[in-house]
């Protein structure tokens, strides 16, 4: 099932209930709608998580959690997916976003570092924030939309395969039942045995009575008149 696949891809989702990064969300974390594993909730969670992952902002987990609450989608998946942007992947993601934004805005290229620190957010980002945010939003929307459509398509494909499998099993069962009925129609079945024995005995008694009547008739004809 698709739910089993999601649980394998995102193990330990329940542990996020007590994560300190989500503590500001408070009792909203207990809403059951945020933990459902259905097609709409999971696809929306992929859209939220992938979108936030491209935002060059701190506290991405909290942002993803807040958006998940507003959109009523799966919260743990939304939060886990933001870790696509980590200290290893963040520099190339930021550079790609900056390049896309710079080309869209028609700005000249600038050299900047991508150290993910509070100092970087307060100083270096201020010099390239416009193309960087533009490119990040474009890439985030594209990644979120692609993730949403991909999950919806794969989920639907999984459902279709399950339905086809059930129909195949049902067809196989009907064929076996038809074969069994054909075999039973050709071969005497034990429950029918008593009825056949009664019929046989009745036929034998009828034959005996006819034979005794025939013998009595022959005796009468053989007597002298």
């Amino acid at each position: 099932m698709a739910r089993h696949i999601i649980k394998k891809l995102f193990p330990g989702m329940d542990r996020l209930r007590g994560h300190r990064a989500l503590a500001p969300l408070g009792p909203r974390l207990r809403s059951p709608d945020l933990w459902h594993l259905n097609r709409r909730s999971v696809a929306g969670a992929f859209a939220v998580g992938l979108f936030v992952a491209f935002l060059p902002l701190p506290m991405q987990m909290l942002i993803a959690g807040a958006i998940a609450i507003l959109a009523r989608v799966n919260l743990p998946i939304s939060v886990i997916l933001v870790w696509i942007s980590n200290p290893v992947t963040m520099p190339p993601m930021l550079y790609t976003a900056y390049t896309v934004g710079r080309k869209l805005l028609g700005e000249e290229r600038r050299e900047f570092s991508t150290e993910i620190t509070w100092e970087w957010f307060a100083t270096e980002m201020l010099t390239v924030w416009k193309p960087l945010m533009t490119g990040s939003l474009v890439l985030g929307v594209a990644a979120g939309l692609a993730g949403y459509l991909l999950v919806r398509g794969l989920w639907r494909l999984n459902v279709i395969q399950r339905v086809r499998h059930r129909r195949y099993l049902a067809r196989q069962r009907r064929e076996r039942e038809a074969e069994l009925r054909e075999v039973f129609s050709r071969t005497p079945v034990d429950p029918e045995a008593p009825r056949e024995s009664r019929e046989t005995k009745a036929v034998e008694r009828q034959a005996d009575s006819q034979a005794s009547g025939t013998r009595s008739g022959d005796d009468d004809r053989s007597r002298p008149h």
Side-chain angles (χ1 to χ4, degrees), residues 45-103:
F46 267 76
V48 172
L50 293 175
F51 171 74
V52 177
F54 277 89
L55 297 182
L57 299 173
M59 298 184 294
Q60 289 180 327
M61 292 180 64
L62 183 60
I63 296 173
I67 298 177
I69 290 175
L70 294 175
R72 313 300 293 179
V73 298
N74 188 280
L75 184 140
I77 294 178
S78 301
V79 172
I80 292 173
L81 282 175
V82 302
W83 283 99
I84 291 175
S85 59
N86 53 64
V88 176
T89 60
M90 181 65 80
M93 291 174 66
L94 292 178
Y95 182 79
T96 303
Y98 168 74
T99 303
V100 172
R102 179 180 62 82
K103 291 182 178 181

Side-chain angles (χ1 to χ4, degrees), residues 150-176:
L150 180 62
V151 172
R152 296 277 296 193
L154 292 177
W155 198 292
R156 181 176 178 80
L157 179 62
N158 181 265
V159 172
I160 292 175
Q161 290 178 344
R162 285 162 48 200
V163 171
R164 288 179 177 176
H165 184 65
R166 290 177 181 174
R167 290 178 178 175
Y168 171 77
L169 293 179
R171 185 170 62 252
Q172 292 290 99
R173 185 171 59 253
R174 289 194 299 268
E175 291 177 356
R176 287 196 297 268

Side-chain angles (χ1 to χ4, degrees), residues 88-161:
V88 176
T89 60
M90 181 65 80
M93 291 174 66
L94 292 178
Y95 182 79
T96 303
Y98 168 74
T99 303
V100 172
R102 179 180 62 82
K103 291 182 178 181
L104 290 176
L105 298 176
E107 294 187 2
E108 295 183 357
R109 180 179 178 181
R110 296 181 183 179
E111 296 294 336
F112 70 98
S113 62
T114 55
E115 297 179 2
I116 311 304
T117 62
W118 286 104
E119 183 180 357
W120 181 85
F121 282 106
T123 57
E124 192 74 19
M125 183 179 175
L126 294 178
T127 62
V128 293
W129 72 270
K130 193 173 182 179
L132 181 59
M133 287 300 298
T134 301
S136 296
L137 289 174
V138 171
L139 293 179
V141 170
L145 181 61
Y148 178 84
L149 295 177
L150 180 62
V151 172
R152 296 277 296 193
L154 292 177
W155 198 292
R156 181 176 178 80
L157 179 62
N158 181 265
V159 172
I160 292 175
Q161 290 178 344

